[in-house]
Amino acid sequence: MSTPSATFQEVVSANGKYAAAFGDKEKLALPPARRFAILTCMDARLDPAKYAGLAEGDAHVIRNAGGRASDDAIRSLVISHKLLGTNEWFVIHHSDCGMQLFTNEVISDLLADDLGTAQFDGKKWSNPKHEGGSVAGKFVHWHTFEDNARSVLEDVQRIRSHPLVPKQIPIYGFIYDVKTGRLNEVVEATAAGRPAV
């Protein structure tokens, strides 16, 4: 059996400290107390608890690469409302997003060549090794985009028009600025997400 990595040990140690000070969090209810959900990117620079003023138990936070309204993200939002009572949703993309640095074709070609981590020189992605990959990446829609505000609008529109999304839920669109920490509303997206009552 291999020795656990330093990262593994750091996570387990941090969890021990967290659990020791867990307090009365066991009493938190299953439904989010503030009754809203955020769909945002997995980028490590984003801390939704901090930028949206959340405490544990306040809101649902759904994350994926790009914060895109994929089928699975919409599945989570529908569950969030239907079974857990959220009644407002935020779609929050961010500046300097890695999803703008490649296309579906680029990533599928990289994966077909090699499954290891690729390198980016500021202009182009490349594989340092060429040990064989898989063409399976050609059959995945990676949800890349070029225009950030447009991608927020598209995601809000996709959620708004989904047959399982109730028309009375407002959906707001924002872009988080990784240089200032500010949420900047995409007014057109919020308008597209207005509830129909």
Side-chain angles (χ1 to χ4, degrees), residues 110-124:
L110 287 166
L111 288 165
D113 176 55
D114 190 272
L115 298 181
T117 300
Q119 296 175 337
F120 186 63
D121 66 7
K123 293 182 181 178
K124 184 179 175 191

Side-chain angles (χ1 to χ4, degrees), residues 158-170:
R158 183 162 195 269
I159 296 166
R160 170 83 297 144
S161 65
H162 196 281
L164 298 178
V165 172
K167 301 303 178 203
Q168 76 272 14
I169 294 177

Side-chain angles (χ1 to χ4, degrees), residues 4-19:
S5 70
T7 302
F8 175 92
Q9 293 170 350
E10 289 164 3
V11 168
V12 171
S13 175
N15 178 254
K17 292 173 187 170
Y18 175 76

Side-chain angles (χ1 to χ4, degrees), residues 9-177:
Q9 293 170 350
E10 289 164 3
V11 168
V12 171
S13 175
N15 178 254
K17 292 173 187 170
Y18 175 76
F22 200 64
D24 63 357
K25 289 186 179 88
E26 67 179 279
K27 297 177 184 170
L28 289 172
L30 181 61
R34 292 176 57 190
R35 299 178 49 131
F36 73 89
I38 294 172
L39 170 59
T40 196
C41 187
M42 68 184 194
D43 191 297
R45 296 170 293 177
L46 279 63
D47 187 341
K50 290 181 181 169
Y51 74 57
L54 303 178
E56 287 158 306
D58 276 352
H60 287 151
V61 178
I62 300 150
R63 299 181 79 157
N64 64 34
R68 301 308 310 266
S70 62
D71 289 343
D72 193 60
I74 293 173
R75 175 189 71 90
S76 295
L77 288 168
V78 169
I79 291 169
S80 177
H81 166 73
K82 183 68 177 175
L83 301 180
L84 296 161
T86 61
N87 55 25
E88 294 180 88
W89 296 343
F90 291 75
V91 173
I92 303 175
H93 293 193
H94 66 95
S95 63
D96 192 34
C97 185
M99 296 297 286
Q100 294 176 274
L101 300 177
F102 64 96
T103 63
N104 286 344
E105 182 179 37
V106 166
I107 191 167
S108 62
D109 287 348
L110 287 166
L111 288 165
D113 176 55
D114 190 272
L115 298 181
T117 300
Q119 296 175 337
F120 186 63
D121 66 7
K123 293 182 181 178
K124 184 179 175 191
W125 290 95
S126 62
N127 286 324
K129 297 179 181 177
H130 308 282
E131 297 177 351
S134 171
V135 296
K138 304 265 184 198
F139 302 96
V140 174
H141 179 55
W142 297 98
H143 300 284
T144 63
F145 58 92
E146 293 179 9
D147 184 306
N148 212 340
R150 182 174 177 81
S151 71
V152 174
L153 173 61
E154 289 170 352
D155 283 354
V156 169
Q157 289 173 329
R158 183 162 195 269
I159 296 166
R160 170 83 297 144
S161 65
H162 196 281
L164 298 178
V165 172
K167 301 303 178 203
Q168 76 272 14
I169 294 177
I171 307 162
Y172 312 108
F174 285 86
I175 296 172
Y176 172 83
D177 188 328

